[in-house]
Amino acid sequence: MEICQQILEKIKEYDTIIIHRHMKPDPDALGSQVGLKALLTHHFPEKTIKAVGFNEPTLTWMAEMDTVQDSDYQGALVIVCDTANTARIDDKRYEQADFTIKIDHHPNDDVYGDLSWVDTGSSSASEMIALFAENTQLTLSDQAAELLFAGIIGDTGRFLYPSTSARTLRIASSLREYNFDFASLTRKMDNMSFKIAKLQGYVYDHLEVDENGAARVLLSQEILKKYDVTDAETAAIVGAPGRIDTVSLWGIFVEQADGHYRVRLRSKFVPINEVAKEHDGGGHPLASGANSYSLEENELIYQKLKNLLKNR
Ligand code: AMP
């Protein structure tokens, strides 16, 4: 793949490479970011290669971020993984880079970067990093393979979502060849704390489902406090409504400390990302995020979701 060679040439040109990913990272954001870092560090030990961003407490078991000084950006190459739009890039200092590369699998709504590799046919940015290694014949380290495997599991719901292609499975299979503690990794990714299990119970108890399968639930600040969970921890229950057979699409409205709502949208087959875009968000056709600034806007979003199914 020509683009992978172009990316490799740029990597070879620079002494300092700083790798970014999106805010509120999930396993794929971290897996692609730190998996790429591990791959490059393994092959280019003479270069300074850093991963930057907020240390998400629930995912520090995967990786911890590096300390990056402003001066590090001078003459540096920045690679941004798994981030569709510039507004969502964690750490705005990416703007100070000498050259920027975007590697992403979301729809390319915000075209950025001096060089860009966007493949919406990839299940995950981690799958793309594994492909990059394959196409450039850079062998992975065990650590890189583990991180990329974790990212793929994360974004495919452990090979459940339709984005799981034959290539995804082939790549996952080749990553499994490496030496890492598979059982421990998959257990970590499947485990939930007791409080999250209880929150899941709340979601099932309070889920509203219309006659066509449009569902919603609101998690207020009061509920988050009651169950002692952070906004980031709600990621663990986003898929829960989809396990109900009559639910076709759903929105989880999570009230934030400032009073606005993060809206996590998921669908089994009808695209919901246009609704997300109309409400300060975006994402994949079947997995998007939006922001709502009032209870009225929450109603409007739910109405639009219901209409998507009603008007089919
Ligand atoms: P989440 O519900 O946060 O897991 O997000 C699901 C998908 O939607 C992810 O692929 C995100 O990249 C995307 N997404 C979430 N929030 C936003 C946003 N505010 N703007 C653009 N895309 C978003």
Side-chain angles (χ1 to χ4, degrees):
M1 221 185 278
E2 177 63 23
I3 184 72
C4 294
Q5 283 305 330
Q6 288 174 15
I7 292 172
L8 181 61
E9 287 316 311
K10 279 292 159 194
I11 288 167
K12 285 181 180 165
E13 257 177 54
Y14 284 85
D15 294 332
T16 302
I17 300 163
I18 305 172
I19 311 175
H20 290 239
R21 40 75 187 159
H22 64 75
M23 297 164 170
K24 299 189 174 176
D26 51 21
D28 184 38
L30 285 176
S32 56
Q33 177 194 32
V34 190
L36 177 61
K37 181 189 158 185
L39 174 72
L40 298 183
T41 308
H42 184 62
H43 287 275
F44 305 102
E46 72 287 359
K47 294 185 191 291
T48 302
I49 303 170
K50 293 189 173 182
V52 69
F54 171 72
N55 259 322
E56 168 51 48
T58 56
L59 290 172
T60 43
W61 61 267
M62 275 185 79
E64 299 215 21
M65 297 293 104
D66 299 309
T67 304
V68 179
Q69 310 294 343
D70 290 354
S71 56
D72 291 334
Y73 283 89
Q74 275 174 20
L77 170 67
V78 158
I79 303 178
V80 185
C81 295
D82 195 37
T83 312
N85 50 335
T86 50
R88 295 239 306 154
I89 300 177
D90 192 347
D91 204 323
K92 296 300 162 218
R93 291 179 297 173
Y94 78 89
E95 290 171 347
Q96 297 169 25
D98 187 61
F99 195 91
T100 306
I101 300 176
K102 174 186 189 181
I103 300 180
D104 188 33
H105 69 123
H106 299 93
N108 204 6
D109 291 329
D110 179 4
V111 180
Y112 69 86
D114 301 300
L115 189 60
S116 162
W117 179 28
V118 173
D119 179 15
T120 53
S122 276
S123 68
S124 51
S126 298
E127 178 176 330
M128 294 177 72
I129 301 300
L131 259 183
F132 167 75
E134 200 176 273
N135 288 328
T136 53
Q137 282 152 12
L138 295 180
T139 46
L140 293 165
S141 61
D142 291 333
Q143 187 205 5
E146 178 173 21
L147 286 160
L148 297 175
F149 194 87
I152 293 173
I153 294 187
D155 254 32
T156 61
R158 218 181 308 144
F159 312 117
L160 187 70
Y161 306 145
S163 58
T164 308
S165 67
R167 188 181 72 186
T168 313
L169 294 170
R170 181 182 64 70
I171 286 176
S173 159
S174 70
L175 295 174
R176 180 72 174 90
E177 302 272 353
Y178 287 82
N179 184 25
F180 60 86
D181 191 340
F182 178 81
S184 161
L185 173 68
T186 50
R187 204 176 302 116
K188 270 191 212 128
M189 296 201 67
D190 189 45
N191 269 353
M192 64 170 118
S193 58
F194 203 11
K195 65 183 184 180
I196 291 294
K198 287 178 178 166
L199 180 70
Q200 188 161 305
Y202 177 89
V203 168
Y204 285 135
D205 259 352
H206 293 83
L207 196 69
E208 179 184 341
V209 190
D210 85 346
E211 67 281 10
N212 298 310
R216 70 166 164 185
V217 68
L218 189 146
L219 301 177
S220 64
Q221 279 284 305
E222 192 188 337
I223 289 300
L224 295 184
K225 284 195 188 94
K226 180 176 169 195
Y227 287 89
D228 186 28
V229 292
T230 61
D231 170 59
E233 286 174 309
T234 64
I237 51 86
V238 180
R243 302 194 65 200
I244 301 170
D245 55 1
T246 54
V247 170
S248 294
L249 53 79
W250 62 101
I252 299 185
F253 296 75
V254 187
E255 188 182 11
Q256 306 293 300
D258 68 0
H260 97 277
Y261 299 86
R262 173 186 190 173
V263 189
R264 313 187 84 155
L265 300 170
R266 298 291 187 272
S267 172
K268 288 180 183 166
F269 45 88
V270 176
I272 34 79
N273 54 339
E274 291 304 321
V275 175
K277 278 192 229 166
E278 287 165 14
H279 294 272
D280 192 18
H284 305 277
L286 303 182
S288 298
N291 289 286
S292 157
Y293 298 92
S294 64
L295 286 172
E296 291 71 32
E297 193 175 354
N298 287 353
E299 286 303 318
L300 181 61
I301 293 172
Y302 185 48
Q303 194 56 51
K304 287 181 182 177
L305 294 177
K306 294 206 297 190
N307 288 343
L308 287 177
L309 292 176
K310 204 193 291 175
N311 302 332
R312 288 185 80 231

